Amino acid sequence: MNKNKFLSGKVAAYPHVVWSVLFIVFPLIFVIYFAFTTPGGAFTLENIYALGDHKETFVLSVSLSLIATFFCFIVGYPLAYLLAQVEPKKQRILIMLLMLPMWTNLLIRTYSMMALMDDAGIINSLLKALNLGTVRMIGTKAAVVFGMAYDFFPYMVLPIFTSISKIDKRVIEAAADLGSNPLRVMTKVVLPLSASGIISGITMVFVPSISTFYISQKLGGGTFDLLGDAIERQFQNVNTYNVGAAISLVMMILVLTSLWVMNRFTDSEEREVRE
């Protein structure tokens, strides 16, 4: 009986293995192959050397992604904490409202932000009506950061909310009974115990932010490039296809490093809880 269950479990895992090989392993191999070859297929390191021409793009992409992640955390952590404190019925409603924008396609959400922030958009129309002049938003780095934060904000809140919800309320009560004020309880008890959720939220916001290209194209107005824009532009030209693969390889390393940090931190947290 146990042997049959084991075999049925292996058979059930085959589709997942095939899917992973076809759509994860093979694409990664192709990226690595093209990053170290010429258009003719010969081995070369020129594509890696060409990354120096895009160092400003790398710095800008990482900087804007970190800023967006920081703002998501600053706003998202208090919200996640409040969500964890309310009664379950209200909690479900608030989480649904938080997730509601995610039910809309990213393309539509981005165009909605353009309608708000355009020079002739809703915000500037209201400012004109109040005789306050206009503000240029589209084509600025601030607009791109706002777009990243808006689109990926729920990815920060939900892991932190889940982590805070798992904290035993008796631990918080014990800290308060021992004389800790609310600020000390937050910094010495709640924050450390929710660290795994914080790391997960930071990773889940930073990774898609650094790889985005549509948000930067529309809200950035084409005035500057991020990594996603640079990759798309390189892949549109057969002669620079391999350079695009080299940039993709660096981005892949950044993403995998972020995931490794998240998994390592989460595993260490789970070991501490078990001990």
Side-chain angles (χ1 to χ4, degrees):
M1 185 68 177
N2 291 335
K3 185 177 180 180
N4 291 335
K5 285 184 177 179
F6 175 73
L7 291 175
S8 63
K10 288 184 66 177
V11 172
Y14 286 156
H16 173 72
V17 173
V18 172
W19 177 274
S20 299
V21 170
L22 289 177
F23 298 104
I24 299 177
V25 177
F26 280 173
L28 294 181
I29 293 174
F30 290 150
V31 168
I32 295 172
Y33 169 76
F34 286 116
F36 291 97
T37 57
T38 64
F43 176 80
T44 182
L45 293 176
E46 290 299 323
N47 302 321
I48 304 300
Y49 298 148
L51 294 176
D53 298 333
H54 302 277
K55 59 184 178 182
E56 293 182 0
T57 303
F58 279 102
V59 172
L60 182 61
S61 298
V62 172
S63 301
L64 296 187
S65 299
L66 287 174
I67 293 172
T69 303
F70 174 75
F71 279 115
C72 283
F73 173 72
I74 292 298
V75 178
Y77 194 94
L79 178 60
Y81 182 80
L82 292 175
L83 282 175
Q85 307 308 312
V86 301
E87 59 186 44
K89 186 177 180 180
K90 292 180 179 178
Q91 199 175 80
R92 288 191 292 270
I93 295 173
L94 292 173
I95 291 175
M96 183 190 70
L97 292 175
L98 174 69
M99 294 300 298
L100 195 59
M102 304 300 292
W103 299 354
T104 306
N105 186 272
L106 175 65
L107 175 65
I108 298 174
R109 295 203 305 271
T110 305
Y111 270 107
S112 299
M113 285 185 281
M114 290 176 64
L116 285 172
M117 296 188 290
D118 193 71
D119 292 342
I122 297 173
I123 294 177
N124 276 321
S125 296
L126 290 174
L127 292 175
K128 279 184 180 180
L130 297 172
N131 294 320
L132 296 176
T134 59
V135 178
R136 181 175 177 268
M137 290 173 279
I138 296 295
T140 64
K141 296 178 178 65
V144 174
V145 170
F146 176 80
M148 292 176 178
Y150 169 74
D151 280 316
F152 306 125
F153 181 68
Y155 299 148
M156 177 67 74
V157 176
L158 293 179
I160 297 176
F161 161 73
T162 302
S163 184
I164 294 176
S165 298
K166 293 179 180 179
I167 298 175
D168 193 334
K169 297 295 188 293
R170 293 173 296 181
V171 176
I172 299 176
E173 292 173 359
D177 291 341
L178 291 171
S180 296
N181 56 40
L183 179 61
R184 191 170 180 81
V185 171
M186 175 62 69
T187 56
K188 298 296 183 181
V189 179
V190 180
L191 270 173
L193 292 178
S194 61
S196 60
I198 294 172
I199 297 298
S200 298
I202 288 173
T203 304
M204 293 176 68
V205 173
F206 178 75
V207 169
S209 294
I210 200 173
S211 59
T212 187
F213 68 95
Y214 193 78
I215 295 174
S216 56
Q217 284 181 358
K218 296 303 178 182
L219 300 185
T223 55
F224 53 88
D225 281 346
L226 298 186
L227 281 177
D229 305 313
I231 292 172
E232 182 191 30
R233 186 169 290 106
Q234 299 299 324
F235 273 87
Q236 287 175 346
N237 189 337
V238 177
N239 295 325
T240 57
Y241 192 91
N242 300 78
V243 177
I247 301 174
S248 300
L249 178 62
V250 174
M251 181 181 291
M252 183 175 69
I253 292 172
L254 288 173
V255 171
L256 292 177
T257 302
S258 300
L259 294 176
W260 176 80
V261 170
M262 182 185 73
N263 291 331
R264 184 177 177 83
F265 193 92
T266 303
D267 291 342
S268 64
E269 287 286 319
E270 290 176 354
R271 284 196 297 270
E272 289 176 7
V273 170
R274 286 196 298 267
E275 292 172 358

